[in-house]
Amino acid sequence: MKTILAIHTGGTISMSQNDKGEVVPNDENPIAEEQVILKGQINLITDEMFNLPSPHVTPEVMLKIKQRIMRTIDEEHVDGVVITHGTDTLEETAYFLDLTLPNTIPVVVTGAMRSSNEIGSDGLYNFRNAILVAATDESYGKGVLVVMNDEIHTARFVTKTHTTNVATFRTPTFGPIGIVTQSKAKYFQELIKTEVADIDHVVDGVYLIKAYAGMNGDLFNAINHSGTKGLVIEGLGAGNVPPQTLPAIQHLIDNNIPIVLVSRCYNGVAQDIYDYEGGGIQLKKMGLILCQGLNGQKARIKLLVGLSDNKAGADLASFVSNAIS
Ligand code: ASP
């Protein structure tokens, strides 16, 4: 029988609706002891590590979850790990773990869009599916996975796309890599491997700024100080910014702050296509790192992990830009 470690961290999956219809955290996790769903097929170990809603999760919390999983890999006999998490920042924690854990046992992150006592609650179902995926032999070596609503996504590319719908987690461009059927995980595609960074601390001061029509340099000037370690810009379209922002961006570069460029578009990659003021060609020449295929919040996690691994210069640029191969 396989042994799966379930690490609970909070979120709607651990919450309930009160008499007024408000969704609130519980003292006792309503799904933590649900051995009944596994019909004696899995040995489930439970660790109620945190009880945090997503907006309270920080890179320090992500690092603690990573360290907990490392302990289990090194010291306990566990065949897989399931993490329950709030859905708002689930993709960031999942990707942080993907970048920092060795790819040895399945690690699966799940959550819920409806709390434990709401009609159509999806928490217990997603939890059961996540355990099934973590206990499936084919799940080895696939990187950190996100299981929600019968689909298996990679932590690297999945994103939350709807505020309330249970079909919120999507992988733009590629789709899920597998599905969960009645009793097992079935895979249809897999990712090319990328580099893992075994970090033991996380740096502060890595920012994310979204470009918009008519933007000027104010937001960039506001973070031009010694505490800033890195910046991700969600650029327009294929990777362009309004020209009025350029002097402020140049000041950040002059202060040796690494800047990563992604697109604010839901699909596609940032590229050096346009040769006008503020176009991708100029941004690349200025020294911005074009990151392929990650959204802003994921690129920020990757930059933060790279900086926490003491990468700099060309080494950092190659780590961050290389999301696909
Ligand atoms: N706001 C909640 C959270 O992320 C949403 C959820 O868990 O689905 O903690």
Side-chain angles (χ1 to χ4, degrees), residues 51 80 133 141 156 177 184 209 225 241:
N51 192 8
V133 171
R156 198 183 305 169
I177 61 164
K184 61 194 286 197
I209 293 181
H225 54 73
V241 296

Side-chain angles (χ1 to χ4, degrees), residues 11-13 15 53-55 85-89 112-113 160:
T12 297
I13 193 165
M15 299 184 193
S54 275
H85 196 289
T87 59
D88 295 351
T89 58
M113 296 304 290
K160 185 174 182 180

Side-chain angles (χ1 to χ4, degrees), residues 71-103:
R71 268 207 313 284
T72 232
I73 292 171
D74 293 343
E75 295 163 21
E76 299 164 333
H77 174 71
V78 161
D79 299 293
V81 177
V82 168
I83 299 143
T84 66
H85 196 289
T87 59
D88 295 351
T89 58
L90 186 152
E91 64 192 87
E92 282 155 271
T93 298
Y95 189 48
F96 181 95
L97 297 174
D98 186 64
L99 287 169
T100 58
L101 284 172
N103 202 355

